[in-house]
Amino acid sequence: MRLLLIRHAQSTNNLLYAETGQTTGRSHDPPLTPLGWQQAQALAEFARTDPTFQAVTHLYCSLTTRAVQTAAPLAAALGLGVQGLAHAHETGGLFVRDEAGVGYGVPGKTHAELLTENPALRWPADLSAAEAWAGGFEREGDEAAFLARAARVLEDLRAAHGPDDVAALVTHGHFTQFLLRSLLGHGAAYFMVYNTSTTLLTLPAPDAPPDWGPLVGWVNRFDHLGADLLSQ
């Protein structure tokens, strides 16, 4: 199967860090900025004629607001529903910090709340539609947990799809690193991925020899964005 990884568009937390270099005042579940909405729309317009996007058979996103919002115009452009994935969120999950600076987890939104952001969103079958997504809190810096979760996401996608499927996943910048580490075993290398950039991988069949890795089509493709729309 082919897997197209898409980083979400610019969020208010991304903008905060770009402007200040700080995380003070961050949101636990930030929405897109006006620039982020422009990026998401540009991606969707590009997808209307791009051969890779036109071949997408299944569209997924994490259950964070920024990912759900990014997937909305893309789903409309491709005429696809968007399957939410509870385990495809950013490393650390949703959290806030107490007065001592210690992080603790907080829940996300319900299906009904996220449907207002993306009417095409389908709720994970193993979650109650009436309850908020738990938020996926993880201990800060727990790279073993991040890598294990990335492997789980990839395993679930591979189990769900055959060789003719093209799955697109709207996910997150840092979590993308662990998805790639799980697939490529590249250790501590870090891949730059701009907001709404894409990474294309062809995954070997489950019965392929163990030394067969994925075919990397590209990493951090952003030709749908003009220079005025680029952000990290």
Coordinates of all heavy atoms in Angstrom, one line a residue, residues 143-190:
E143 N 10.3 8.8 24.4 CA 10.4 8.5 23.0 C 10.0 7.0 22.7 O 9.6 6.6 21.6 CB 11.8 8.8 22.4 CG 12.1 10.3 22.4 CD 13.3 10.6 21.6 OE1 13.9 9.7 21.0 OE2 13.5 11.8 21.4
A144 N 10.3 6.1 23.7 CA 9.9 4.7 23.5 C 8.4 4.6 23.3 O 7.9 3.8 22.5 CB 10.3 3.9 24.7
A145 N 7.6 5.4 24.1 CA 6.1 5.4 23.9 C 5.7 6.0 22.6 O 4.8 5.5 21.9 CB 5.5 6.2 25.1
F146 N 6.4 7.0 22.2 CA 6.1 7.6 20.9 C 6.3 6.6 19.7 O 5.5 6.5 18.8 CB 6.9 8.9 20.6 CG 6.9 9.9 21.7 CD1 7.9 10.9 21.8 CD2 5.8 10.0 22.6 CE1 7.9 11.8 22.8 CE2 5.8 11.0 23.6 CZ 6.8 11.9 23.7
L147 N 7.4 6.0 19.8 CA 7.8 5.0 18.8 C 6.8 3.8 18.8 O 6.4 3.3 17.7 CB 9.2 4.5 19.0 CG 9.8 3.7 17.8 CD1 9.9 4.5 16.5 CD2 11.3 3.3 18.2
A148 N 6.5 3.3 19.9 CA 5.5 2.2 20.0 C 4.2 2.6 19.5 O 3.5 1.8 18.8 CB 5.4 1.8 21.5
R149 N 3.7 3.8 19.7 CA 2.4 4.3 19.2 C 2.5 4.4 17.7 O 1.6 4.1 17.0 CB 2.0 5.6 19.9 CG 0.7 6.1 19.4 CD 0.1 7.1 20.4 NE 1.0 8.2 20.6 CZ 1.1 9.3 19.9 NH1 0.4 9.4 18.7 NH2 1.9 10.3 20.2
A150 N 3.6 4.9 17.2 CA 3.8 5.0 15.7 C 3.7 3.7 15.1 O 3.1 3.5 14.0 CB 5.1 5.7 15.4
A151 N 4.4 2.7 15.7 CA 4.4 1.4 15.1 C 2.9 0.8 15.1 O 2.5 0.1 14.2 CB 5.3 0.4 15.9
R152 N 2.2 1.1 16.2 CA 0.8 0.7 16.2 C -0.1 1.3 15.1 O -0.8 0.6 14.5 CB 0.2 1.0 17.6 CG -1.3 0.7 17.7 CD -1.9 1.0 19.1 NE -3.3 0.7 19.1 CZ -4.0 0.9 20.2 NH1 -3.5 1.3 21.3 NH2 -5.3 0.6 20.2
V153 N 0.1 2.6 14.9 CA -0.6 3.2 13.8 C -0.3 2.6 12.5 O -1.2 2.3 11.7 CB -0.3 4.7 13.8 CG1 -0.9 5.4 12.5 CG2 -0.9 5.4 15.0
L154 N 1.0 2.4 12.2 CA 1.4 1.8 10.9 C 0.8 0.3 10.8 O 0.4 -0.1 9.7 CB 2.9 1.8 10.8 CG 3.5 3.2 10.7 CD1 5.0 3.1 10.9 CD2 3.2 3.8 9.3
E155 N 0.9 -0.4 11.9 CA 0.4 -1.8 11.9 C -1.1 -1.8 11.6 O -1.6 -2.6 10.8 CB 0.7 -2.5 13.2 CG 0.2 -3.9 13.3 CD 0.5 -4.6 14.6 OE1 1.2 -3.9 15.4 OE2 0.1 -5.7 14.8
D156 N -1.9 -0.9 12.2 CA -3.3 -0.9 12.0 C -3.6 -0.5 10.5 O -4.5 -1.1 9.9 CB -3.9 0.1 12.9 CG -4.0 -0.4 14.4 OD1 -3.7 -1.5 14.6 OD2 -4.3 0.5 15.3
L157 N -2.9 0.5 10.0 CA -3.1 0.9 8.6 C -2.8 -0.3 7.6 O -3.5 -0.5 6.7 CB -2.3 2.1 8.3 CG -2.8 3.4 8.9 CD1 -1.8 4.5 8.7 CD2 -4.2 3.8 8.4
R158 N -1.7 -0.9 7.9 CA -1.3 -2.0 7.0 C -2.3 -3.2 7.0 O -2.6 -3.8 6.0 CB 0.1 -2.5 7.3 CG 1.2 -1.5 7.0 CD 2.6 -1.9 7.4 NE 3.1 -3.0 6.5 CZ 4.3 -3.4 6.5 NH1 5.2 -3.0 7.4 NH2 4.7 -4.4 5.7
A159 N -2.8 -3.4 8.2 CA -3.8 -4.5 8.4 C -5.1 -4.2 7.7 O -5.8 -5.1 7.2 CB -4.0 -4.8 9.8
A160 N -5.4 -2.9 7.6 CA -6.7 -2.5 7.0 C -6.7 -2.3 5.5 O -7.7 -2.2 4.9 CB -7.1 -1.2 7.6
H161 N -5.5 -2.3 4.9 CA -5.4 -2.0 3.5 C -4.6 -3.0 2.6 O -3.7 -3.6 3.1 CB -4.8 -0.6 3.3 CG -5.7 0.5 3.9 ND1 -6.9 0.8 3.3 CD2 -5.5 1.2 5.0 CE1 -7.4 1.8 4.1 NE2 -6.6 2.0 5.1
G162 N -5.0 -3.1 1.4 CA -4.3 -3.9 0.4 C -3.4 -3.2 -0.5 O -3.3 -2.0 -0.4
P163 N -2.8 -3.9 -1.4 CA -1.7 -3.3 -2.3 C -2.3 -2.2 -3.2 O -1.5 -1.4 -3.7 CB -1.2 -4.4 -3.0 CG -2.2 -5.5 -3.0 CD -2.9 -5.3 -1.7
D164 N -3.6 -2.2 -3.5 CA -4.1 -1.2 -4.4 C -4.6 0.1 -3.7 O -5.0 1.0 -4.3 CB -5.3 -1.8 -5.2 CG -4.8 -2.9 -6.1 OD1 -3.6 -2.8 -6.6 OD2 -5.6 -3.8 -6.3
D165 N -4.5 0.1 -2.4 CA -5.0 1.2 -1.6 C -3.9 2.3 -1.4 O -2.7 2.1 -1.4 CB -5.4 0.8 -0.2 CG -6.7 0.0 -0.2 OD1 -7.5 0.1 -1.2 OD2 -7.0 -0.7 0.8
V166 N -4.4 3.6 -1.4 CA -3.6 4.7 -1.1 C -4.2 5.4 0.1 O -5.3 6.0 0.0 CB -3.4 5.7 -2.3 CG1 -2.5 6.9 -1.9 CG2 -2.9 5.0 -3.5
A167 N -3.6 5.4 1.3 CA -4.1 6.0 2.5 C -3.4 7.3 2.8 O -2.2 7.3 2.8 CB -4.0 5.0 3.7
A168 N -4.2 8.3 3.0 CA -3.6 9.6 3.4 C -3.9 9.9 4.8 O -5.1 9.7 5.3 CB -4.2 10.7 2.5
L169 N -2.9 10.3 5.6 CA -3.1 10.6 7.0 C -2.7 12.0 7.4 O -1.5 12.3 7.2 CB -2.3 9.5 7.8 CG -2.1 9.8 9.3 CD1 -3.5 9.8 10.0 CD2 -1.2 8.8 10.0
V170 N -3.6 12.8 7.9 CA -3.3 14.1 8.4 C -2.8 13.9 9.8 O -3.6 13.6 10.7 CB -4.5 15.1 8.3 CG1 -4.1 16.5 8.8 CG2 -5.0 15.2 6.8
T171 N -1.6 14.2 10.1 CA -1.0 14.0 11.4 C -0.1 15.2 11.8 O -0.4 16.3 11.4 CB -0.3 12.6 11.5 OG1 0.2 12.4 12.8 CG2 0.9 12.5 10.5
H172 N 1.0 15.0 12.5 CA 1.7 16.0 13.2 C 3.2 16.0 12.9 O 3.7 14.9 12.6 CB 1.4 16.0 14.7 CG 0.0 16.1 15.0 ND1 -0.6 17.3 15.4 CD2 -1.0 15.1 15.0 CE1 -1.9 17.1 15.6 NE2 -2.2 15.8 15.4
G173 N 3.8 17.1 13.1 CA 5.2 17.2 12.7 C 6.2 16.3 13.5 O 7.0 15.6 12.9
H174 N 6.0 16.4 14.8 CA 7.0 15.5 15.6 C 6.6 14.1 15.5 O 7.4 13.2 15.5 CB 7.0 16.0 17.1 CG 8.2 15.5 17.8 ND1 8.1 15.0 19.1 CD2 9.5 15.4 17.5 CE1 9.2 14.6 19.5 NE2 10.1 14.9 18.6
F175 N 5.3 13.8 15.5 CA 4.9 12.4 15.4 C 5.3 11.8 14.1 O 5.6 10.6 14.0 CB 3.4 12.2 15.6 CG 2.9 10.8 15.7 CD1 3.5 10.0 16.7 CD2 1.9 10.3 14.9 CE1 3.1 8.6 16.8 CE2 1.5 8.9 15.0 CZ 2.1 8.1 16.0
T176 N 5.3 12.6 13.0 CA 5.8 12.1 11.7 C 7.2 11.5 11.9 O 7.6 10.5 11.2 CB 5.8 13.2 10.7 OG1 4.4 13.6 10.4 CG2 6.4 12.8 9.4
Q177 N 8.0 12.2 12.7 CA 9.4 11.7 12.9 C 9.4 10.2 13.4 O 10.2 9.4 13.0 CB 10.2 12.6 13.9 CG 10.1 14.0 13.6 CD 10.6 14.3 12.1 OE1 11.6 13.8 11.7 NE2 9.8 15.2 11.4
F178 N 8.5 9.9 14.3 CA 8.4 8.6 14.9 C 7.8 7.6 13.9 O 8.2 6.4 13.9 CB 7.8 8.6 16.2 CG 8.6 9.3 17.2 CD1 8.4 10.7 17.4 CD2 9.6 8.6 17.9 CE1 9.3 11.3 18.4 CE2 10.4 9.3 18.8 CZ 10.2 10.7 19.0
L179 N 6.9 8.0 13.1 CA 6.4 7.2 12.0 C 7.5 6.8 11.1 O 7.6 5.6 10.7 CB 5.2 7.9 11.3 CG 3.9 8.1 12.0 CD1 3.0 9.1 11.3 CD2 3.2 6.8 12.2
L180 N 8.3 7.8 10.7 CA 9.4 7.5 9.8 C 10.5 6.7 10.5 O 11.1 5.8 9.9 CB 10.0 8.8 9.3 CG 9.1 9.6 8.4 CD1 9.7 10.9 8.0 CD2 8.8 8.8 7.1
R181 N 10.8 6.9 11.8 CA 11.7 6.1 12.5 C 11.3 4.6 12.5 O 12.1 3.7 12.4 CB 12.0 6.6 13.9 CG 12.7 7.9 13.9 CD 12.9 8.4 15.3 NE 13.5 9.8 15.3 CZ 13.8 10.4 16.4 NH1 13.8 9.9 17.6 NH2 14.3 11.7 16.3
S182 N 10.0 4.4 12.8 CA 9.5 3.1 12.8 C 9.7 2.4 11.5 O 10.0 1.2 11.4 CB 8.0 3.1 13.2 OG 7.5 1.8 13.3
L183 N 9.4 3.1 10.4 CA 9.5 2.5 9.1 C 11.0 2.4 8.6 O 11.3 1.4 8.0 CB 8.8 3.4 8.1 CG 7.2 3.3 8.1 CD1 6.6 4.4 7.3 CD2 6.8 1.9 7.7
L184 N 11.8 3.4 8.8 CA 13.1 3.5 8.2 C 14.2 3.1 9.2 O 15.3 2.8 8.7 CB 13.4 4.9 7.7 CG 12.3 5.5 6.8 CD1 12.7 6.9 6.4 CD2 12.2 4.6 5.5
G185 N 14.0 3.1 10.5 CA 15.0 2.8 11.5 C 16.1 3.8 11.4 O 17.3 3.4 11.4
H186 N 15.8 5.1 11.2 CA 16.9 6.1 11.0 C 17.4 6.7 12.2 O 18.1 7.7 12.2 CB 16.4 7.2 10.0 CG 15.3 8.1 10.6 ND1 15.5 9.0 11.5 CD2 14.0 8.2 10.3 CE1 14.4 9.7 11.8 NE2 13.5 9.2 11.1
G187 N 17.0 6.2 13.4 CA 17.6 6.6 14.6 C 17.2 8.0 15.0 O 16.0 8.3 15.1
A188 N 18.2 8.9 15.2 CA 17.9 10.3 15.7 C 17.8 11.3 14.6 O 17.6 12.5 14.9 CB 18.9 10.7 16.7
A189 N 17.8 10.9 13.3 CA 17.7 11.9 12.2 C 16.3 12.6 12.3 O 15.3 12.0 12.7 CB 17.9 11.2 10.9
Y190 N 16.3 13.8 11.9 CA 15.0 14.6 11.9 C 14.7 15.1 10.5 O 15.6 15.7 9.9 CB 15.2 15.8 12.9 CG 13.8 16.4 13.3 CD1 13.2 16.0 14.4 CD2 13.3 17.4 12.5 CE1 11.9 16.5 14.8 CE2 12.1 17.9 12.8 CZ 11.4 17.5 14.0 OH 10.2 18.1 14.3

